[in-house]
Amino acid sequence: MAFLSDALHQTDAGAQPYRWTDRAVAEHVDRECDPSAIDGLDIPLLFAYDILMATACVTGASRGVGRGVAAELAANGFKVFATGRSIDSADLPASVKRIRCDHTRDEDTAAAFRQVEDAGDGLDVLVNSAWGGYERMVEDGAFTWAAPFWRQPAHRWSSMMDAGVRAAFFASAHAARIMITQRRGLIANISYWAAQRHLGNTVYGIAKAATDKMTFDMAHELREHGVSAISLYPGLVRTESVLAAAQGGWLDLYNSESPEFIGKVVAALYNDPGLIERSGTVAVVAQLARDLNVVDTGGKQPIPLTLEALANWK
């Protein structure tokens, strides 16, 4: 019964991410009955009797946004699998299951999701954060990241399109095969405003526009299976590299976001009763946080970054 399978999506944003199991449904409620049949049921007892923690997989979780998302989802009660090339040395809670994985290698990605599937708990959330686009921004003393497309090094295409877009596509394909059998799930792709205007460099814009189109089309194909896909636009995130730049006086962190902030929003989004209506859309993380009553660490409420606010950015 869909109303039971989706019961956890009707809880408050701060609720624990549990899900009903088939055995709990079958042993307590006839699948063909009306939802009113659970009116007299001892719901806390049912939950204690046969529930599973919701399961999440976060790619690119060795550092940066991915690490923050994985850590925060674990703090919110998810069973978390975290992947990355250097995941063994990542600063993550002990409860997080680390899977060493280079998502540019299809065999690595397949092996990672076999581990997720073999765990037997299904998969409820995938956050695609694997991305190599901010590596080697300075070469031979020159800041090549913002160079025009005819001066861009070939590795930038690979680091953004292969380690970013392609990696997200194949991770999502593996995740979808698990999720559609459950008739539930959320795929969150990390994107940015570069999809909608020139920011940084041409390859960056291509990669983010491809991510948003991928999200839209995945959502279209997943909708009949009860699975959602959404693109998330973070603001200025206090990753390791951003903090280093701020120490050098290059960045103002006044309206920045913690790496955990996106994880808080994803946890709330998973529990949002209107999740399926959001599927296929682009959402600014800070605005979504306001909609879902989520605050950043220390109670801070970052100001949502808008396209108009980026008018003077290059």
Side-chain angles (χ1 to χ4, degrees):
M1 292 169 55
F3 78 93
L4 282 179
S5 299
D6 298 334
L8 265 295
H9 294 296
Q10 299 174 28
T11 59
D12 293 335
Q16 288 296 306
Y18 296 127
R19 64 168 186 262
W20 297 81
T21 66
D22 288 340
R23 188 158 69 91
V25 173
E27 293 188 7
H28 289 275
V29 182
D30 187 326
R31 288 177 179 272
E32 300 303 319
C33 74
D34 185 81
S36 63
I38 66 169
D39 285 348
L41 206 59
D42 187 343
I43 297 300
L45 179 61
L46 175 60
F47 269 67
Y49 171 73
D50 197 357
I51 57 175
L52 290 174
M53 295 169 64
T55 300
C57 179
V58 183
T59 70
S62 299
R63 58 185 181 275
V65 168
R67 185 208 60 76
V69 171
E72 188 59 34
L73 288 179
N76 275 268
F78 284 79
K79 178 178 181 179
V80 178
F81 293 86
T83 72
R85 289 175 297 180
S86 55
I87 197 69
D88 292 341
S89 60
D91 181 16
L92 289 168
S95 64
V96 174
K97 172 65 176 177
R98 302 162 189 251
I99 303 175
R100 191 182 305 152
C101 179
D102 179 348
H103 282 284
T104 65
R105 296 168 54 87
D106 292 345
E107 58 270 29
D108 278 19
T109 301
F113 281 91
R114 276 197 300 272
Q115 288 195 49
V116 174
E117 192 164 19
D118 289 348
D121 294 328
L123 181 62
D124 299 286
V125 175
L126 169 67
V127 180
N128 282 310
S129 188
W131 171 257
Y134 301 138
E135 298 175 358
R136 298 163 64 184
M137 297 174 77
V138 177
E139 299 175 272
D140 299 324
F143 184 64
T144 62
W145 198 82
F149 72 89
W150 60 91
R151 293 179 183 164
Q152 284 289 334
H155 70 76
R156 188 142 293 129
W157 178 273
S158 299
S159 65
M160 293 185 178
M161 298 302 294
D162 294 339
V165 181
R166 190 178 189 279
F169 177 87
F170 283 101
S172 297
H174 285 287
R177 294 181 192 120
I178 302 172
M179 292 175 174
I180 61 176
T181 64
Q182 307 166 159
R183 296 199 60 78
R184 67 173 180 273
L186 166 64
I187 297 173
N189 296 316
I190 305 301
S191 189
Y192 197 57
W193 285 112
Q196 301 186 35
R197 56 147 296 175
H198 184 277
L199 284 172
N201 62 69
T202 298
V203 186
Y204 189 42
I206 293 170
K208 296 308 182 182
T211 297
D212 286 356
K213 177 58 173 170
M214 177 175 67
T215 296
F216 179 84
D217 286 356
M218 284 180 175
H220 176 78
E221 295 176 359
L222 289 169
R223 186 174 297 274
E224 66 180 283
H225 301 287
V227 179
S228 301
I230 190 167
S231 278
L232 296 177
Y233 286 13
L236 178 62
V237 181
R238 295 189 299 277
T239 62
E240 297 87 346
S241 58
V242 165
L243 289 174
Q247 288 179 349
W250 294 98
L251 293 172
D252 180 0
L253 300 181
Y254 170 73
N255 192 45
S256 62
E257 302 166 3
S258 72
E260 292 77 19
F261 186 47
I262 298 178
K264 293 176 184 289
V265 171
V266 170
L269 186 61
Y270 172 72
N271 285 318
D272 179 21
L275 174 60
I276 197 68
E277 282 73 39
R278 298 183 189 274
S279 189
T281 66
V282 165
V284 176
V285 171
Q287 183 58 57
L288 193 55
R290 293 176 179 229
D291 296 343
L292 298 174
N293 298 315
V294 174
V295 295
D296 202 350
T297 54
K300 183 180 178 182
Q301 191 79 68
I303 300 169
L305 192 61
T306 64
L307 193 59
E308 292 73 23
L310 293 170
N312 295 323
W313 288 33
K314 295 183 178 179

